[in-house]
Amino acid sequence: MNQNNQFISLICTLVSTLVVGLVFYFTDYVSNEGFNPSDDGVVLAQSYRIINGEIPHKDFISIRPVFSGVLHTINFASPLPLIISGRISVLFQFFIFSFIWVFILLKHFFTLKSKSKYAIIFSITGISVFVLNVNTYHLYPWTTIDGVFFSLIGFSFLIKLFSLKISSSKKDFYITIALFLFSIAALCKQNFIFLTAFIFLFIIYFYIKEKRLRVLPIVMIAGGLPFAIYLIMLISTGSFQYFIQQMTGRTEFFETGILRYVKSFLKVRFLPLNFIVLFFFFFAFLDRIKPNFISKKNLLPYFSSEKKSIWQIAILLYFLMTIYAAFRIFLGNDYLSITHEAFWILLILFVMVIYIKACTKTQAAIIIFTIILSWVTSISLGANFPGYVFGILISLNFILINQINNKLQLFVFSISQKKVLPCYFAVLVSLLFMISILGQRNTNYRELPASNLTENLGELFPEFGNLKTNPATFNYYSDFKKLYDSNPKMKGHFVLLPNNAAIYPLFDSPNPFPLDWMQKDEYVGTEEHLYEELEKILENEKVYILIDKFNSKQMASEIIEMNYEDYSYMKIIKEKCRKVQTGSEFFDVYLSGK
């Protein structure tokens, strides 16, 4: 890609940012997301602790590395209300890595000589990938989003090593930056260590192949510097043992990284087609190893480029399913199954392009990176789906469909050949963009549709900005505000359990407990440490403990009495504290200390 296209990409990104920003502003996109008092604010609460000088893993429990907490301290420097600042920064991250991704795709999969055509395709593809990545899931700062952000920026540097026009010294520089950014991604969430380790091993292979082993140690040490800095911090602060304990407490890898993916494959809508395709291509690849194997079994015609009917049917179905998935994500709550559909379609298409040799080494590297990135983003007991990279999956699926079509000359039109395609594409993306706005309004994360968000949380707390919410959540926070305002001694001496991590930075009130979101999955493996710390605090400090009477996660849709059978620490609180009669509708209040 020439320098002109790089400049055009930058200009188009800036213009698209302005256009999307104005649309979001006039449609109240951020405020219409609503608010749920559960995991919204977990990262910001961690950032607040770091700003106040607390030592990660020692002074507070974190089952993830804390670079996301470090990163989002920048939100506290913004003049915007904290929650609004956090959400805008997330949209900015999605926007940046979506357009970086499109730049990579157009550079390595297409040759577009027309500047105007390039500008149109780059802009509308970038916007479509952006809205699909955002989809209807949450907008608050989160570790996985940060990991994807740094991984994609890192990959934009890493991909340069395949270029024949770049000198070895420049490649060393780009690889070092890439490894540095992938290391940061792993320090946002430990899932990304799988991707980072794969990249590091690939770089070792690259330098061995290039016979430049003298440079390798320098590149590896410089690229892995974030790990070294983090390790020094852990050792110097005496928090290394806590870090190990907190990182090894959760054992969801097999369950969410393997078992659930196997289950998702068995639940996809195109399961019969996927099985048939994989069955045939198993024998096809076997033929590469054992020549004439297919011929003996009379299977050769099915793989022949001369007999296109089988290919046409399969590609058409995958094409239609990809379009369906792109729109369906905004029209329902089944984003978990839809995103897995896109993942498995990508895997099937990759098998196809490898068999017909329809991709270069660089293109194959892009596909493999996407598959691994999608997989690591979904290793979680919570958000166990590749939703944060959904737009990346969808766009690459379309690209591979086009690659197969160009190679075999099927009936599906070629993106690179149709002169009028940008016009049709623009209409399709405009429709997708409008549906994404409506989808966000109708499918908010743990909230009611935007039309039912009749209350403004900013009326209670300025740091919410003009964020809208449902009447139940508004009444919930109104009740809390009455309790807080009635007792000035509560600032810096209260906790709100078991959710509401955002409340501490919002009130500029340090949390006396070592954990902000007091859910079991957030302290697995560190139970003993948490209980010991709680007993010390409750015996020696005066802390107001506000406990939800109702399940605040589901408060938007229904009022359900909270069941605390699985919250072992509640027994410690009730034994060490005395109950205070407040007449509160939503909270039981306890007071610790002598």
Side-chain angles (χ1 to χ4, degrees), residues 108 114 172 233 275 315 404 434 493:
H108 296 285
S114 169
D172 295 337
M233 181 275 293
F275 262 126
I315 292 303
I404 295 169
M434 289 186 289
H493 300 282

Side-chain angles (χ1 to χ4, degrees), residues 10 23 48 124 165 172 194 201 223 225-226 234 239 257 330 380 392 400 431 448 470 511 532 563 569:
L10 177 60
V23 172
Y48 181 66
I124 59 183
K165 300 178 181 179
D172 295 337
F194 295 108
L201 290 173
L225 194 59
L234 292 173
S239 53
F330 300 111
S380 171
I392 292 172
L400 296 190
L431 179 62
L448 298 181
N470 63 84
N511 184 354
E532 288 177 358
N563 185 344
Y569 62 81

Side-chain angles (χ1 to χ4, degrees), residues 568-582:
S568 302
Y569 62 81
M570 287 294 180
K571 182 178 180 182
I572 298 174
I573 291 173
K574 292 180 180 180
E575 288 178 353
K576 300 287 183 180
C577 306
R578 64 182 185 276
K579 191 171 184 179
V580 179
Q581 298 300 322
T582 61

Side-chain angles (χ1 to χ4, degrees), residues 479 483 486 549 579-585 587-590:
D479 194 21
L483 292 172
S486 66
K549 290 182 179 180
K579 191 171 184 179
V580 179
Q581 298 300 322
T582 61
S584 171
E585 179 184 357
F587 305 99
D588 287 323
V589 181
Y590 289 81

